[in-house]
C-alpha cells in the first residue's frame, strides 16, 4: 500500500515539532488523530519511524531517511502549486524564518511588516530562539545566522555587517564611578551571556574584550538589553538596538567597537523555488536598509 501525502504531511509535522500535540496544533488536528496517522504510516512501511523519549518524539534512522524524501515531495508540491498559480500577484502561503533574538526583536519586525504589506496573502512566521536552527529538520524555511555553517546541503549568503558597543543607562553611569578605560570595568556590574549557553563563538563578546567577571547573565540578548535598560550595569549591545533603548548610550566607543555579520542560510533544494528566492531578496535588502538606518540613529 502506497503512503498518502496527508500521512507524510503529518509525519513531517511530528518530526519537526517532536510532539504529537505540537504537531496537531500546527495542522489543526487533535493529538489522537496525529498518532493514528503516524501509526498508519508505520504500518504501511512496516517499520518504526519514531521513538518516544523523555524530550518527545525522536526520529529513528529509517525515519531520518524518510524525512529527506518527504521534504523533497513537499517541496515539489509547493513548486507545482507556485507554477500553476503563477507570479503575477504577490507571494502567498507561509514562510518561517528562524533568527537569534537580537535580530528577531529589533530588525525583523520592521522588515517583515513591510514585506507583508506588499504581500497580503503571505503569512510570515518569525521564530526567535537563542540557538542554532536545523534546516534539515525544516524547523524553519530559512535562518538568519551570525556565522556561516560549514556542513550540510545549504546555501549561504552574507546579508550585512553590523556593529556592537559597550553601553549603559545614563542613570547607572551617574550613580557609579567614571569609566575612562577598559580597566575601570572591574568596578562595574557587567551584563552578558551565560557562558556555557553561548551557541555561537561570534557571541562571546566579553571574552573578546578581556572581561571575565559577569554579574548578570542570560542566554537571551533581549533579556540582556532589558537589564541594561533597567540600569543593571554595562553590556555589549547591538548599535541597531540602541535607538529602542531610551537613556542608553555607548561607553568607550573607540576601545570597544565590535563588528559581526548576518548570514541568510537556506536549504540547497530551495534554490529552484522562486517564492523563496523572491522572499530572500526582499528580506536581505530590508535588513541591510534597516541596519544602516538604525545604526545612523545610535
Amino acid at each position: 500500500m502506497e503512503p498518502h501525502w496527508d500521512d507524510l504531511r503529518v509525519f513531517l509535522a511530528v518530526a519537526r515539532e517532536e510532539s504529537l500535540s505540537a504537531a496537531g496544533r500546527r495542522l489543526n488536528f487533535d493529538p489522537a488523530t496525529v498518532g493514528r496517522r503516524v501509526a498508519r504510516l508505520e504500518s504501511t512501511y512496516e517499520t518504526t519511524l519514531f521513538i518516544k523519549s523523555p524530550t518527545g518524539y525522536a526520529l529513528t534512522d529509517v525515519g531520518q531517511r524518510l524525512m529527506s524524501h518527504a521534504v523533497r515531495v513537499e517541496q515539489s508540491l509547493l513548486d507545482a502549486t507556485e507554477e500553476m498559480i503563477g507570479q503575477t500577484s504577490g507571494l502567498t502561503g507561509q514562510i518561517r524564518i528562524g533568527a537569534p533574538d537580537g535580530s528577531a526583536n529589533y530588525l525583523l519586525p520592521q522588515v517583515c511588516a513591510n514585506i507583508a504589506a506588499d504581500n497580503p496573502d503571505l503569512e510570515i512566521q518569525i521564530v526567535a530562539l537563542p540557538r542554532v536552527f536545523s534546516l534539515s529538520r525544516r524547523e524553519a524555511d530559512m535562518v538568519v545566522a551570525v556565522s556561516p555553517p560549514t556542513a550540510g546541503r545549504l546555501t549561504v549568503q552574507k546579508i550585512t555587517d553590523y556593529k556592537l558597543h559597550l553601553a549603559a543607562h545614563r542613570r547607572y553611569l551617574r550613580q557609579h564611578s567614571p569609566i575612562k578605560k577598559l580597566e575601570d570595568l572591574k568596578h562595574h556590574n557587567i551584563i552578558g551571556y551565560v557562558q556555557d549557553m553561548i551557541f555561537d563563538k561570534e557571541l562571546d563578546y566579553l571574552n573578546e574584550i578581556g572581561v571575565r567577571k559577569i554579574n548578570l547573565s542570560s542566554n537571551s540578548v533581549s533579556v540582556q538589553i532589558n537589564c541594561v535598560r533597567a540600569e543593571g550595569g554595562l553590556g555589549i549591545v547591538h548599535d541597531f538596538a540602541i535607538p529602542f533603548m531610551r537613556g542608553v548610550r555607548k561607553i568607550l566607543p573607540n576601545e570597544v567597537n565590535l563588528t559581526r555579520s548576518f548570514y541568510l542560510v537556506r536549504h540547497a533544494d530551495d534554490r529552484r523555488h522562486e517564492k523563496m528566492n523572491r522572499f530572500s531578496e526582499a528580506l536581505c535588502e530590508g535588513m541591510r536598509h534597516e541596519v544602516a538606518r538604525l545604526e545612523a540613529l545610535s
Side-chain angles (χ1 to χ4, degrees):
M1 182 173 60
E2 295 294 326
H4 298 286
W5 160 243
D6 218 34
D7 290 342
L8 288 175
R9 186 166 67 97
V10 171
F11 163 78
L12 283 173
V14 176
R16 289 163 178 163
E17 300 292 344
E18 299 182 339
S19 160
L20 296 184
S21 57
R25 287 192 295 272
R26 184 168 181 168
L27 299 169
N28 200 26
F29 289 169
D30 63 83
T33 299
V34 174
R36 286 195 297 272
R37 293 292 186 85
V38 169
R40 184 165 72 181
L41 196 58
E42 290 182 327
S43 176
T44 298
Y45 286 115
E46 298 182 345
T47 190
T48 301
L49 300 173
F50 294 98
I51 294 177
K52 185 71 167 64
S53 72
T55 57
Y57 279 70
L59 286 168
T60 62
D61 290 341
V62 175
Q64 291 280 5
R65 292 197 296 273
L66 177 60
M67 185 170 185
S68 64
H69 293 296
V71 166
R72 286 197 289 271
V73 172
E74 179 185 53
Q75 191 62 60
S76 295
L77 289 173
L78 290 171
D79 290 341
T81 300
E82 185 174 277
E83 183 177 335
M84 295 299 293
I85 293 174
Q87 296 297 335
T88 56
S89 58
L91 299 174
T92 61
Q94 179 190 96
I95 293 179
R96 177 177 290 185
I97 311 165
D101 61 340
S103 60
N105 277 282
Y106 298 101
L107 292 175
L108 292 186
Q110 307 91 279
V111 174
C112 291
N114 289 333
I115 297 175
D118 293 334
N119 301 275
D121 294 323
L122 177 67
E123 179 190 353
I124 305 172
Q125 297 180 346
I126 302 172
V127 181
L129 289 176
R131 65 169 174 81
V132 176
F133 284 80
S134 171
L135 284 177
S136 64
R137 296 176 64 87
R138 293 286 175 163
E139 292 183 328
D141 296 303
M142 58 187 68
V143 169
V144 176
V146 293
S147 63
T150 57
R153 296 186 63 255
L154 305 168
T155 58
V156 182
Q157 68 181 101
K158 182 177 177 179
I159 302 173
T160 187
D161 291 332
Y162 61 96
K163 295 186 178 300
L164 306 101
H165 285 87
L166 194 65
H169 198 282
R170 289 188 178 92
R171 284 194 294 269
Y172 173 88
L173 294 171
R174 285 198 298 266
Q175 295 166 9
H176 294 79
S177 59
I179 305 170
K180 297 181 179 179
K181 55 186 182 298
L182 281 174
E183 289 76 11
D184 295 334
L185 297 182
K186 63 185 179 183
H187 304 299
H188 288 266
N189 293 335
I190 303 298
I191 298 164
Y193 276 100
V194 178
Q195 284 297 298
D196 62 356
M197 298 185 75
I198 294 178
F199 65 91
D200 192 299
K201 61 180 176 58
E202 296 293 336
L203 304 178
D204 198 3
Y205 313 125
L206 294 175
N207 187 56
E208 182 170 331
I209 65 173
V211 174
R212 301 291 183 265
K213 180 175 178 290
I214 300 176
N215 304 91
L216 190 55
S217 61
S218 173
N219 68 323
S220 163
V221 71
S222 298
V223 173
Q224 295 171 42
I225 285 173
N226 281 320
C227 289
V228 172
R229 291 173 62 188
E231 307 166 37
L234 291 79
I236 299 292
V237 173
H238 305 76
D239 282 18
F240 60 70
I242 291 178
F244 297 94
M245 304 167 66
R246 186 174 181 179
V248 170
R249 68 177 182 86
K250 299 175 186 177
I251 307 299
L252 302 176
N254 295 324
E255 292 86 346
V256 182
N257 185 357
L258 306 179
T259 299
R260 295 291 189 268
S261 303
F262 284 128
Y263 299 86
L264 186 66
V265 185
R266 299 167 55 192
H267 198 281
D269 292 341
D270 287 348
R271 285 177 295 184
R272 296 177 291 104
H273 195 185
E274 182 62 22
K275 170 184 170 182
M276 293 299 179
N277 291 336
R278 291 173 62 197
F279 183 87
S280 297
E281 182 178 352
L283 181 71
C284 291
E285 179 59 32
M287 288 186 67
R288 284 190 288 267
H289 177 271
E290 195 64 8
V291 167
R293 183 184 75 84
L294 292 171
E295 287 189 346
L297 299 174
S298 68

